[in-house]
Amino acid sequence: MGKGKNLKAALQSQQSRFKAKEKLSHAAQVSEQRSHRNAKQQHSKGSSVNLSSNNSNKGKGKATPAPPPRRTTIPFRSTDTILLIGEGNFSFARALLCDPPAELCDLPPKNLTATAYDTEDECYEKYADGREIVAYLRQRGAQILFGVDATKLEKTAALKGRRWDHIVWNFPHAGKGITDQDRNILSNQVLILGFLRSASKVLSLGPVPSITTPRRRKKADEDGEEDDAEDETAPLETEEGEQFKFITPKEAVKTRGTVLITLRNVVPYTLWDVPRLAKKPPLPTTGSTPANPRYTLLRSFAFNRSVYKGYEHRMTKGTRAHGTGRTGEGGEDRTWEFCLQDE
C-alpha cells in the first residue's frame, strides 16, 4: 500500500512540474502568435500600398509552389514480429493483414499477435463487429488472445518465453471513468508505467536501431538566395521537431525491439506526459523496489488512421456506450516510439 502511495506522490510531483512548464510554454506561444499577427498586418498594409504600382507586372511572378505532403510513417516491416495491446474490436490487427500499407503486404499472419483486456464474451458484447473481425484474423492465422493485462505481459501463459520486435498500444486508457482530471491523469500514468515495465521483459534484444541526420540540398528561392530543403528521402521527425532518418539496409541486423504508444495530442492526454514517463520515470521510493526501466525516444510522428484501412478506434466502454465510442475532435493522433536504454 505504501509503495502505491509513494508512486502516486512521485507522479503528482512530476505532474505539477509539467503543468507549470506547460503554462510558461503556452504564454510564450500566445506572445509569439500576437507578434506574428502584428507583423502580418503590417505586411498587408505595405502590400496594399504597392498593389496599384505593380499592376503592370501582374502575371509575371511565379506562383509559390505548395509544400509537398509529409510522408506517412509506417513503423513496421514485413519481417517484424508485432504484439498489439488493448485491441478493442481488433480492427487495427485486421488493417495490418487485410489490404495493408505496401510496406506490410508480405507480413506473415503468424508474426502478428493481437490481445485484448476484455474476455472474448465481453469483446463481442461491447463491439458489434468484434466477432466477425476475430473470425477473419483466426482464419488468416494470426494469434488472438483475450484477458491480457498490459501490465503483466510476461506472466501471460501464451506469451511466456517470447519476444517481439514491436509492442504497440494505440490509444491506451485505464477506462475507470474518473471525472476528476488530476486523478484521471494519475490513473493513466500508473497504467503506462506498468505497461512500460512489463513490455521491457518481452522486447527483442539487440543493438539500438541506427539513425542518422538526413542529407540536405540547397535550393535557390525566387530572390536568388539559397535555402535549405529536405532531401528526396523524407526524414523522420522527433518529438522536439528535429529530423532523423532510420537506416534500414537490405540485410538489416536484428535490432532492439521498440514500444509504440499512440495518443491524441491534446489535453488531457498531453498531461500524461508519456515521453517523460518513459525516459525519466519516477525513482523508486524504497530500497526493495526495483527501478523502472528507462527508455530512449527514437522518434515521434503523426499517426495517419486512413492508411490503415478499416481501422476505427473504439473506447474502452465499447461502441454502445455514449455514442460511437470514437475519439474526440481537435489535435492530431501522434505515435511515440521508444527502445530500452542500455543499463
Side-chain angles (χ1 to χ4, degrees), residues 4 123 165:
C123 173
D165 298 320

Side-chain angles (χ1 to χ4, degrees), residues 62 218-228:
K62 294 181 180 179
K218 294 292 184 178
K219 176 183 176 183
D221 61 18
E222 293 179 9
D223 298 324
E225 296 181 0
E226 290 188 335
D227 186 21
D228 285 333

Side-chain angles (χ1 to χ4, degrees), residues 65-313:
R70 184 174 290 278
R71 185 184 66 174
T72 296
T73 299
I74 305 296
F76 316 113
R77 293 177 296 180
S78 60
T79 56
D80 291 335
T81 54
I82 304 170
L83 174 63
L84 304 181
I85 306 298
E87 263 298 88
N89 69 344
F90 291 89
S91 61
F92 186 73
R94 178 182 60 183
L96 298 184
L97 296 180
C98 179
D99 197 12
E103 292 85 346
L104 294 177
C105 284
D106 298 323
L107 177 70
K110 66 181 179 61
N111 282 21
L112 181 65
T113 299
T115 73
Y117 181 73
D118 296 320
T119 65
E120 189 163 357
D121 288 341
E122 287 171 340
C123 173
Y124 300 156
E125 176 65 24
K126 284 183 179 181
Y127 311 107
D129 52 357
R131 188 183 300 274
E132 179 185 350
I133 295 174
V134 168
Y136 167 80
L137 291 170
R138 284 175 169 162
Q139 185 273 325
R140 287 293 306 275
Q143 184 179 28
I144 306 300
L145 301 175
F146 294 94
V148 176
D149 186 335
T151 67
K152 299 176 181 178
L153 299 175
E154 74 284 4
K155 296 181 181 179
T156 302
L159 304 181
K160 281 186 176 180
R162 301 169 62 187
R163 291 183 178 272
W164 282 267
D165 298 320
H166 302 292
I167 302 178
V168 183
W169 198 353
N170 293 327
F171 308 101
H173 200 282
K176 293 184 177 180
I178 300 173
T179 55
D180 179 77
Q181 180 169 281
D182 287 345
R183 288 177 56 222
N184 191 295
I185 292 169
L186 192 61
S187 169
N188 284 287
Q189 287 179 320
V190 170
L191 175 66
I192 295 296
L193 281 173
F195 164 60
L196 291 172
R197 189 181 304 111
S198 181
S200 68
K201 301 171 185 176
V202 293
L203 282 169
S204 296
L205 305 176
V208 175
S210 301
I211 57 176
T212 182
T213 51
R215 297 188 305 273
R216 301 187 73 84
R217 54 190 172 82
K218 294 292 184 178
K219 176 183 176 183
D221 61 18
E222 293 179 9
D223 298 324
E225 296 181 0
E226 290 188 335
D227 186 21
D228 285 333
E230 291 184 8
D231 192 283
E232 297 285 339
T233 56
L236 304 171
E237 185 179 340
T238 69
E239 179 194 15
E240 291 79 15
E242 192 174 5
Q243 293 179 323
F244 291 95
K245 183 173 61 180
F246 273 73
I247 301 174
T248 52
K250 292 182 179 179
E251 298 179 0
V253 175
K254 189 75 170 178
T255 56
R256 192 169 302 183
T258 68
V259 169
L260 297 103
I261 298 176
T262 298
L263 285 169
R264 198 73 172 165
N265 202 24
V266 294
V267 172
Y269 310 112
T270 50
L271 297 178
W272 297 6
D273 204 7
V274 168
R276 183 176 292 275
L277 290 179
K279 294 186 294 183
K280 297 179 180 180
L283 295 173
T285 52
T286 63
S288 60
T289 305
N292 291 292
R294 287 177 174 263
Y295 286 80
T296 295
L297 176 61
L298 294 174
R299 55 177 170 172
S300 75
F301 50 89
F303 176 84
N304 187 352
R305 299 188 195 196
S306 64
V307 171
Y308 301 100
K309 297 179 181 177
Y311 169 58
E312 289 186 345
H313 167 59

